Amino acid sequence: MKILLLCWRDSTHPQGGGSERYLERVGEYLAAQGHEVIYRTAGHTDARHHSTRDGIRFERAGGKYTVYLAGLLGVLKHRPDVVVDTQNGIPFFAKLVTRKPVILLTHHCHREQWPVAGPVLSKVGWFLESKLAPRVYRGSPYVTVSEASAADLIDLGVRADDITIIENGVDPVPEHVPALSNDGLTHVVTLSRLVPHKHIEDAMDTVARLDGVVLDVIGSGWWEDRLREYAKPLGSKVIFHGQVTEDYKHALLARAAVHLMPSAKEGWGLAVIEAAQHGVPSIGYRSAGGLRDSIRDGETGVLVESREQMIEATKSLIDDAPRRARMGSNAKKWSSQFSWEKTGARFAQLIEKVTGA
């Protein structure tokens, strides 16, 4: 079977993140099952226009906006048996150019993120996501990653029966994770793309109020310069690590007492599960949506309503080592339930169902 994956970015893109990793891991599973898998995405300076990795053929064409036209041309070029159309804000509208099954993959709705695009583009984008896409894809199969995201789709008019929830998997912890030296400080960590809606500033405000606590910021993004400027008054209490290797990422997570995820919106929160692999509980906003699914409130972490509550919850967990240890143990057990093998297998079952294969 020929399977075409459409996504605005891949994991090699400077702004790639968890949603891109999700699609790639699904693609790798499908390729391992003997399917021909093509991943069509935007071009960028860090990658060739054509490459093959882990059984997936990557084709990169178009930029921030023209990637959508390039994606539709890819559908016409390849004539796949099934298309997975990823909606990161807006879909590719692949359903308009093929009669083959199209699965719409959306991690979460973007109402909270659109304002950063500006007053005009934000209105156009939200109209495409909230009004046009549900009409074009009415009756088509949807995949999302959490109950919260499914509820948001239903609010936009998507039928509940058309939605399949397939949670994120997680990569295994590397075999060799370096042990970081003890500097006598308490570390909290945030693992995230550095963009406005992730609200990393709230994590900085948290450590600013806690003596002897520093924040390790793992990740990169176009908002980084603003965040560095915001962090200047805090001096050495905020450490920017940028993009790091997998083993060093896990070393930073393992050293942390708490993982903070102050994002305004998450479909699931892959970083929550990665921290949980090391017995590190997470604190995030209940209003973020998917964190209500990835964080089991009071068991594997804490859901809060505001920045002040995040500060209070962080201080409480740091001060109460036995409670933090219990949550960490629960979090580690929780993380063991997730794997990309399970995610890929469930996606493959859905593809078989919609294609009749």
Side-chain angles (χ1 to χ4, degrees):
M1 187 184 304
K2 183 186 288 187
I3 303 171
L4 179 62
L5 312 178
L6 299 177
C7 191
W8 65 342
R9 300 169 183 154
D10 70 328
S11 64
T12 69
H13 193 287
Q15 297 180 36
S19 64
E20 289 77 29
R21 195 194 313 184
Y22 179 104
L23 188 60
E24 289 184 14
R25 293 295 185 268
V26 167
E28 290 165 14
Y29 180 90
L30 296 171
Q33 303 306 304
H35 299 293
E36 179 182 358
V37 180
I38 303 161
Y39 190 121
R40 187 91 175 186
T41 188
H44 62 93
T45 57
D46 295 340
R48 300 190 304 273
H49 290 300
H50 296 86
S51 64
T52 301
R53 174 163 47 90
D54 297 315
I56 304 172
R57 185 162 83 250
F58 289 85
E59 295 183 357
R60 302 177 179 89
K64 185 175 182 179
Y65 302 111
T66 56
V67 62
Y68 295 98
L69 175 60
L72 294 180
L73 292 175
V75 177
L76 297 173
K77 169 187 173 183
H78 291 293
R79 300 185 181 278
D81 298 300
V82 62
V83 178
V84 178
D85 185 340
T86 307
Q87 178 172 285
N88 285 299
I90 59 174
F92 285 76
F93 291 104
K95 192 176 179 182
L96 298 177
V97 298
T98 181
R99 293 184 178 181
K100 296 293 186 178
V102 179
I103 297 170
L104 189 69
L105 168 63
T106 180
H107 289 261
H108 60 83
C109 295
H110 291 71
R111 185 196 300 267
E112 292 83 359
Q113 285 97 299
W114 277 116
V116 76
V120 176
L121 190 56
S122 63
K123 289 180 181 178
V124 173
W126 181 237
F127 169 77
L128 293 174
E129 180 179 9
S130 64
K131 302 297 184 183
L132 186 59
R135 292 177 184 173
V136 171
Y137 285 90
R138 182 161 290 141
S140 295
Y142 277 70
V143 169
T144 194
V145 295
S146 65
E147 294 282 356
S149 291
D152 285 345
L153 288 171
I154 292 169
D155 286 343
L156 296 183
V158 179
R159 298 186 311 187
D161 289 346
D162 293 332
I163 302 171
T164 301
I165 298 173
I166 304 179
E167 294 94 346
N168 279 256
V170 66
D171 291 322
V173 174
E175 186 174 347
H176 300 290
V177 175
L180 302 181
S181 59
N182 184 355
D183 56 9
L185 299 169
T186 298
H187 287 256
V188 297
V189 64
T190 182
L191 170 59
S192 173
R193 287 189 299 122
L194 305 187
V195 292
H197 76 271
K198 298 295 186 178
H199 290 179
I200 307 301
E201 295 90 341
D202 290 5
M204 295 182 193
D205 291 345
T206 297
V207 300
R209 298 264 291 272
L210 302 176
D211 293 335
V213 179
V214 299
L215 173 68
D216 290 306
V217 180
I218 308 171
S220 62
W222 63 273
W223 197 242
E224 183 171 345
D225 289 344
R226 298 284 190 95
L227 291 173
R228 285 184 178 274
E229 191 67 26
Y230 192 90
K232 276 185 178 179
L234 299 179
S236 59
K237 285 183 72 69
V238 178
I239 305 167
F240 289 90
H241 296 273
Q243 294 292 106
V244 298
T245 60
E246 279 294 300
D247 58 345
Y248 190 59
K249 177 185 80 175
H250 280 277
L252 291 168
L253 290 172
R255 181 175 65 176
V258 177
H259 169 244
L260 299 180
M261 198 162 205
S263 178
K265 193 71 173 182
E266 292 291 331
W268 171 252
L270 179 57
V272 168
I273 305 302
E274 291 184 316
Q277 289 177 300
H278 298 281
V280 177
S282 291
I283 299 174
Y285 291 132
R286 189 183 304 276
S287 59
L291 296 186
R292 297 197 299 269
D293 295 87
S294 59
I295 298 174
R296 302 174 73 177
D297 189 25
E299 296 180 34
T300 68
V302 182
L303 294 172
V304 297
E305 308 294 343
S306 66
R307 183 184 61 179
E308 283 302 314
Q309 286 189 11
M310 177 168 285
I311 295 169
E312 294 170 6
T314 304
K315 183 179 187 303
S316 176
L317 271 185
I318 289 174
D319 290 345
D320 191 343
R323 178 169 172 250
R324 189 172 76 246
R326 285 195 299 272
M327 281 192 178
S329 177
N330 291 338
K332 194 166 187 176
K333 292 176 184 176
W334 172 238
S335 72
S336 68
Q337 299 183 39
F338 304 99
S339 73
W340 291 120
E341 182 80 11
K342 291 181 180 178
T343 302
R346 293 196 61 205
F347 219 106
Q349 290 171 0
L350 177 63
I351 288 175
E352 290 173 3
K353 177 182 176 181
V354 301
T355 60

